Amino acid sequence: QQQVKQSPQSLIVQKGGISIINCAYENTAFDYFPWYQQFPGKGPALLIAIRPDVSEKKEGRFTISFNKSAKQFSLHIMDSQPGDSATYFCAASLGRDDKIIFGKGTRLHILP
Amino acid sequence: DAGITQSPRHKVTETGTPVTLRCHQTENHRYMYWYRQDPGHGLRLIHYSYGVKDTDKGEVSDGYSVSRSKTEDFLLTLESATSSQTSVYFCAIKPGLAGTDTQYFGPGTRLTVL
């Protein structure tokens, strides 16, 4: 049973546009929601993370929007650049002593 | 890379042979994890450890075993490799500090089972 569902599987965006990746979760006890970025041949790296007590978190061009009632969260990449082309994973965790559940990933391609 | 090394980085082996992958960390973090990554499946947890000699199964543990005799090393063993275990394997650590649940990943091991 997949506890974190991610969409779309792949996404193509023009340079300068907004990239949006969506995730939905089932377990309302999740209390940590990170996004990871992975370049080819590399391990995933933490991009940005949010906890459910806030509805939005912004770091530079990257923003997480969180909707607790809908059990959904999304990643927005503003002014998307070719260097943002990577695979993005959303994830959820029950807390410090628990494992993280990952979505299946979104392959993002930014057209130059 | 958060002080995480994985060895080997690439390995080709034959069906039925045993394989051991090593994850080494330099920061004495308590939590360590093994994942496999396959197209269309994302990252799936194989086994994890929350201390020396303390390990537990993840969602895809069949065919895999782990050992952690020292804080810095977490070994993943395929007792008898099968073609379905062809994958990229990632080790991760979690510092376990208050207020952070972040996992940090190693560079990965690409395993091909012929």
Side-chain angles (χ1 to χ4, degrees), chain A residues 13-112:
Chain A
V13 175
Q14 290 282 351
K15 178 182 176 182
I18 302 173
S19 303
I20 301 175
I21 304 171
N22 300 299
C23 283
Y25 63 97
E26 299 167 5
N27 190 339
T28 55
F30 285 141
D31 69 349
Y32 177 70
F33 300 88
W35 284 88
Y36 282 81
Q37 180 187 55
Q38 184 182 29
F39 294 106
K42 303 292 185 181
L46 179 71
L47 183 64
I48 186 172
I50 196 169
R51 295 197 182 272
D53 53 345
V54 297
S55 60
E56 185 175 283
K57 183 174 182 180
K58 183 176 181 179
E59 290 184 1
R61 296 184 294 110
F62 300 92
T63 300
I64 299 178
S65 297
F66 188 85
N67 187 330
K68 190 173 182 178
S69 61
K71 294 188 289 184
Q72 295 175 347
F73 58 111
S74 59
L75 176 69
H76 296 237
I77 305 174
M78 312 300 288
D79 186 26
S80 298
Q81 299 296 312
D84 297 329
S85 296
T87 299
Y88 293 81
F89 294 94
C90 64
S93 170
L94 282 171
R96 187 153 58 97
D97 293 329
D98 200 73
K99 47 194 178 291
I100 293 180
I101 309 298
F102 287 87
K104 292 187 175 183
T106 296
R107 183 171 290 184
L108 174 65
H109 182 64
I110 307 301
L111 297 173

Side-chain angles (χ1 to χ4, degrees), chain B residues 62-112:
Chain B
D62 288 348
Y64 302 95
S65 62
V66 290
S67 66
R68 192 170 178 198
S69 58
K70 298 184 292 183
T71 300
E72 59 266 36
D73 289 324
F74 192 30
L75 304 180
L76 177 71
T77 297
L78 290 65
E79 301 291 346
S80 178
T82 68
S83 58
S84 65
Q85 293 175 312
T86 292
S87 186
V88 181
Y89 291 85
F90 287 100
C91 173
I93 61 95
K94 185 167 70 173
L97 299 173
T100 177
D101 299 318
T102 300
Q103 290 187 14
Y104 298 90
F105 286 80
T109 293
R110 182 173 295 277
L111 176 67
T112 302

